[in-house]
């Protein structure tokens, strides 16, 4: 298995632009998580999907952030419009079920200038 | 919210030394995770445990549920163990992970 696949690995964009981050979870995993990592706040949960349904989006910082999971093999995290304070590493992780171990993707390093 | 505290924040050791990283949490949990993050940034899940002890190679993780405390031990440390080690606690709701700030480990030859 190729693991959790995220793209792009790096993204540099100008303030105000739309950014879309992508994630392909491990086949058969029905839980998917988006996390954000910053120096100041460490790792934070943004949103959790179970069986493609958003269960908890309380970590999404504001309306500029949205996430979708149209099917079991694909999820997106979109920021529109992006701001410099959104600069961070965004990780996607999947799990076969919530109380099992997690597999993390390699992350997307986002820089908004 | 479950407060997860790690210590030490930074740790430097010489190759071969025995290393211990500590993690404490404030409320009951369903599981405790130890993660490793290398300088390249990727995160690897090392252990998930809800009781007792687990061992994988030179790594040992223990948890004391009554004391709300977990430790990660590395025996015969090696420079390739240099990484950030992150403790994370599953809340009793099951899915939410509360993360510690991480322990940055540097093992020198």
């Amino acid at each position: 298995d190729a693991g959790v696949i995220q793209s792009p690995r790096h993204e540099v964009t100008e303030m105000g632009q739309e950014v879309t981050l992508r994630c392909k979870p491990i086949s058969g995993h029905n839980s998917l998580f988006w996390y954000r990592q910053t120096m100041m706040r460490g790792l934070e949960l943004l949103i959790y999907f179970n069986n493609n349904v958003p269960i908890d989006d309380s970590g999404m910082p504001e309306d500029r952030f949205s996430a979708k999971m149209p099917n079991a093999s694909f999820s997106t995290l979109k920021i529109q419009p992006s701001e410099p304070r959104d600069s961070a590493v965004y990780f996607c992780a999947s799990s076969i079920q919530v109380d099992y171990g997690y597999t993390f993707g390699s992350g997307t390093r986002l820089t908004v200038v | 919210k479950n407060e997860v505290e790690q210590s030490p924040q930074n740790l430097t050791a010489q190759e071969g030394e025995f290393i211990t990283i500590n993690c404490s949490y404030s409320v009951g949990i369903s599981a405790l995770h130890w993660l490793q993050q290398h300088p390249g940034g990727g995160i690897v899940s090392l252990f998930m445990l809800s009781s007792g002890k687990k061992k994988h190679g030179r790594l040992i993780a223990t948890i004391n549920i009554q004391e709300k405390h977990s430790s990660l031990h590395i025996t015969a440390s090696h420079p390739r163990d240099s990484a950030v080690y992150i403790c994370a606690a599953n809340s009793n709701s099951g899915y939410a992970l509360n993360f510690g700030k991480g322990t940055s480990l540097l093992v020198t030859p």
Side-chain angles (χ1 to χ4, degrees), chain A residues 9 33 35 37 40-41 43-45 48 55-56 91 98-102 104-106, chain B residues 30-31 33 35 37 40-45 48 86 90 93-97 99 101:
Chain A
R9 287 297 308 274
F33 306 82
Y35 293 98
Q37 185 179 38
M40 290 294 294
R41 301 172 68 91
L43 277 160
E44 301 173 287
L45 175 67
Y48 157 57
I55 302 300
D56 182 355
F91 286 98
V98 294
D99 52 356
Y100 272 55
Y102 299 82
F104 285 79
S106 300
Chain B
S30 59
H33 300 254
L35 311 172
Q37 186 170 30
I43 295 175
V44 174
S45 178
M48 184 184 77
I86 302 169
N90 263 118
S93 69
Y95 61 83
L97 276 180
F99 296 90
K101 293 276 193 285

Side-chain angles (χ1 to χ4, degrees), chain A residues 15-107:
Chain A
M15 183 173 67
Q17 296 297 306
E18 176 180 298
V19 176
T20 299
L21 311 181
R22 297 172 176 80
C23 174
K24 176 178 166 54
I26 290 176
S27 177
H29 283 195
N30 62 8
S31 297
L32 183 139
F33 306 82
W34 282 100
Y35 293 98
R36 178 171 68 175
Q37 185 179 38
T38 61
M39 289 290 291
M40 290 294 294
R41 301 172 68 91
L43 277 160
E44 301 173 287
L45 175 67
L46 298 177
I47 187 167
Y48 157 57
F49 290 90
N50 185 253
N51 291 323
N52 313 338
V53 176
I55 302 300
D56 182 355
D57 65 354
S58 60
M60 297 285 264
E62 47 196 275
D63 291 347
R64 297 184 298 106
F65 285 69
S66 62
K68 294 182 180 179
M69 192 164 186
N71 57 62
S73 59
F74 184 66
S75 176
T76 59
L77 178 67
K78 186 178 293 186
I79 308 172
Q80 165 65 18
S82 58
E83 296 182 4
R85 61 194 167 114
D86 302 330
S87 298
V89 181
Y90 291 81
F91 286 98
C92 175
S94 70
S95 176
I96 196 165
Q97 63 184 59
V98 294
D99 52 356
Y100 272 55
Y102 299 82
T103 302
F104 285 79
S106 300

